[in-house]
Amino acid sequence: MNDYTFGEYLYQKRKQSGDSQNELVEKLGVTGKAVSKWENGSAKPRACLKNGCFMGNLRRGAV
């Protein structure tokens, strides 16, 4: 998944769950700047964050 596709995917999942960027920040224990960079495609998260494996949780809708 390229950076832009990941960012779009993250944005869509966050919107589907009704979360703001700040709510996602709190759930993941990261900065707002990190979430913003992920969503605009300028960076990707590390494989695992505060709540376990990020990508797995995201795909299951746990994030």
Side-chain angles (χ1 to χ4, degrees), residues 14 17-30 35 51 63:
R14 180 175 64 77
S17 70
D19 288 338
S20 67
Q21 278 190 345
N22 286 336
E23 290 167 324
L24 186 58
V25 162
E26 290 179 23
K27 287 181 179 181
L28 297 176
V30 297
V35 171
N51 294 338
V63 172

Side-chain angles (χ1 to χ4, degrees), residues 4-49:
Y4 181 75
T5 302
F6 171 78
E8 281 295 306
Y9 180 76
L10 177 61
Y11 174 80
Q12 292 301 324
K13 294 297 266 184
R14 180 175 64 77
K15 287 298 184 181
Q16 286 173 1
S17 70
D19 288 338
S20 67
Q21 278 190 345
N22 286 336
E23 290 167 324
L24 186 58
V25 162
E26 290 179 23
K27 287 181 179 181
L28 297 176
V30 297
T31 66
K33 189 173 184 176
V35 171
S36 179
K37 284 182 176 185
W38 298 343
E39 288 188 352
N40 73 30
S42 64
K44 283 186 181 177
R46 294 182 182 178
C48 291
L49 297 168

